[in-house]
Amino acid sequence: MDRVNAWVKTHKRKQRGLGARLVLSEDDLKQMRVDLGVDQKTQISHVQIITQAHGELITVPTGHAHQVVNKQPCIKLAWD
């Protein structure tokens, strides 16, 4: 998480105000993937871009940063 936070601080301006949030564009995510590289142990990229199809379940491990972009109306259920 420290590497992701450092990347965001150097590449994105902090938004302020009620409801302020950080949204990364697809280009931002691609650049983050290049900059952060792959995990040396698993050889898996630190940044994953996943397109979820109807009926598929995506599990995000507790504590992992993630962003969701809805391309059509949907319902999200989340719990820790």
Side-chain angles (χ1 to χ4, degrees):
M1 277 301 281
D2 291 338
R3 292 179 66 202
V4 172
N5 287 333
W7 189 94
V8 169
K9 285 181 183 177
T10 59
H11 289 81
K12 301 299 281 183
R13 284 188 301 125
K14 187 163 186 137
Q15 298 179 2
R16 301 189 186 282
L18 185 62
R21 62 186 184 141
L22 174 68
V23 178
L24 300 174
S25 69
E26 192 168 343
D27 288 338
D28 291 334
L29 293 171
K30 288 177 182 177
Q31 185 61 51
M32 183 187 277
R33 176 184 273 175
V34 169
D35 293 346
L36 297 183
V38 298
D39 182 279
Q40 295 302 313
K41 184 177 178 183
T42 64
Q43 294 301 305
I44 296 174
S45 174
H46 289 288
V47 177
Q48 299 291 314
I49 301 172
I50 300 169
T51 301
Q52 181 181 12
H54 178 77
E56 291 183 329
L57 173 70
I58 304 292
T59 302
V60 179
T62 301
H64 283 66
H66 68 283
Q67 173 178 305
V68 176
V69 176
N70 299 317
K71 296 187 177 193
Q72 61 186 22
C74 67
I75 296 172
K76 175 185 176 184
L77 301 175
W79 63 91
D80 285 328

